[in-house]
Amino acid sequence: MEFNSLTLQKEDKIAILKINRPKALNALNTEVLLELDKAIEELKSDQDVNVIILSGEGKAFVAGADILEMKEKTANEARDFAKVGIELFRKIEMIEKPVIAAVNGFALGGGCELSMACDMRIASEKAKFGQPEVGLGITPGFAGTQRLPRLVGSAKAKELIFTGDVIDAKEAERIGLVNKVVNPEELMDETMKLAKKISSKAQLAVRYSKMAINRGIETDVETGMEIEKDLFALCFATEDQTEGMTAFSEKRKPDFKNK
Ligand code: CO8
């Protein structure tokens, strides 16, 4: 598939999807959002991809939604634009395969929101996070008011959103927004290492675990435990469960087939 504002590479069952609009610091305009949607749809059904890495070309991950495109929008047009972003980010969050954000630089506004729709965030020491929207006269619009408090707690989320403060990668790690901070030169290697480790496990078990966590967080704990119970049981109808447990008893490495 050909893209104008994205690059897509595949290596060892890992897809590396980069937003490639560096002159505008990878700001999310309609084209980027639509292309991202297409790429995610393609990767969803690609049997050769177990894990997706999302990153940005140049010095930014994503410096937000495109302010120049948003500037003249009416309220109705703004709602439509927000809907496109919200639905795309939800698709990224709920895709069965794990998605890791490799945050190489600015992750501001819609960029911070995009990183939060991913399952994990590995950040370069150069990364910066923030929700500066109130300084532009708007609220976050791609679900930052929902995902940030779920990740860092409502008090810290309110502080960041009400002040528009930009924080560095270390502070983002301290408050639980990122999983790990690494040297900029090692960002892709470290993220690949994590992706490959996940990719070496039984993929249906990884995907069911993601589903149980995502669905569980959004419901009460009793329902969450029911969801886990059903998905746990479903694993026992997979070849990988037989292989994983047989390999353990035979003291060898499992050879998973994602079945
Ligand atoms: N939108 C459009 N263009 C941008 C954006 C952006 N978000 N960010 C940077 N650019 C462009 C600049 O205009 C500039 O273009 P040009 O060279 O043509 O003048 C180019 O990228 C380089 O940027 P700078 O020269 O500003 O680079 P600096 O290194 O000096 O500064 C910053 C980097 C600090 C990241 C600075 O660019 C900045 O503050 N950017 C805006 C950050 C921001 O406010 N982001 C939040 C946007 S709002 C949002 O994301 C809401 C999401 C929900 C939308 C809901 C829909 C209704």
Side-chain angles (χ1 to χ4, degrees):
M1 191 174 276
E2 285 294 306
F3 298 108
N4 207 19
S5 303
L6 299 179
T7 60
L8 177 59
Q9 279 170 264
K10 291 175 202 167
E11 185 187 324
D12 291 341
K13 299 223 166 207
I14 317 290
I16 303 167
L17 185 57
K18 286 191 178 178
I19 298 163
N20 184 23
R21 210 191 154 211
K23 281 192 182 141
L25 304 188
N26 300 327
L28 302 171
N29 60 7
T30 301
E31 180 180 79
V32 176
L33 293 175
L34 295 179
E35 287 194 350
L36 264 177
D37 192 74
K38 266 196 200 142
I40 294 294
E41 279 298 333
E42 180 188 306
L43 295 174
K44 200 169 161 177
S45 52
D46 189 334
Q47 301 289 332
D48 246 0
V49 170
N50 288 344
V51 181
I52 300 164
I53 295 175
L54 194 56
S55 193
E57 292 286 358
K59 72 173 184 179
F61 175 70
V62 166
D66 191 311
I67 299 169
L68 306 180
E69 184 181 325
M70 271 189 301
K71 195 164 134 270
E72 306 293 345
K73 286 195 188 302
T74 62
N76 277 336
E77 289 165 347
R79 186 183 288 110
D80 290 345
F81 187 60
K83 186 171 182 283
V84 172
I86 282 187
E87 288 179 0
L88 165 65
F89 290 11
R90 183 65 169 165
K91 193 179 280 183
I92 292 171
E93 184 171 47
M94 300 311 281
I95 188 175
E96 289 181 334
K97 301 171 185 183
V99 185
I100 308 171
V103 184
N104 50 307
F106 294 111
L108 303 177
C112 185
E113 291 168 307
L114 177 60
S115 80
M116 290 191 289
C118 300
D119 296 304
M120 285 161 269
R121 284 149 293 285
I122 307 298
S124 143
E125 281 162 0
K126 287 188 179 162
K128 301 244 188 285
F129 295 81
Q131 297 288 158
E133 285 89 343
V134 293
L136 295 163
I138 58 173
T139 65
F142 292 158
T145 61
Q146 302 308 302
R147 291 199 179 93
L148 190 57
R150 283 171 168 81
L151 277 168
V152 304
S154 68
K156 204 67 201 168
K158 284 174 178 167
E159 182 187 329
L160 287 170
I161 291 172
F162 296 175
T163 62
D165 279 351
V166 172
I167 57 172
D168 64 19
K170 274 278 162 220
E171 176 64 0
E173 183 185 36
R174 196 188 67 78
I175 65 174
L177 181 55
V178 309
N179 295 67
K180 191 176 180 183
V181 181
V182 299
N183 194 302
E185 291 76 51
E186 288 166 5
L187 178 66
M188 284 321 285
D189 283 353
E190 285 287 326
T191 312
M192 275 301 271
K193 219 190 285 173
L194 173 63
K196 282 183 184 167
K197 187 187 270 187
I198 296 169
S199 181
S200 73
K201 307 293 178 188
Q203 291 310 294
L204 290 174
V206 169
R207 292 171 196 178
Y208 295 165
S209 300
K210 172 168 173 171
M211 202 185 297
I213 294 168
N214 280 2
R215 292 290 178 203
I217 282 170
E218 293 171 6
T219 185
D220 63 277
V221 72
E222 295 288 344
T223 311
M225 289 188 287
E226 286 299 316
I227 293 170
E228 182 183 290
K229 183 156 53 95
D230 288 345
L231 288 165
F232 174 73
L234 206 52
C235 293
F236 285 76
T238 69
E239 290 178 21
D240 282 353
Q241 175 270 328
T242 310
E243 169 61 11
M245 294 192 178
T246 306
F248 174 81
S249 63
E250 292 174 355
K251 301 189 188 304
R252 61 170 173 82
K253 272 191 142 187
D255 179 17
F256 293 124
K257 303 280 190 234
N258 297 349
K259 286 184 189 163

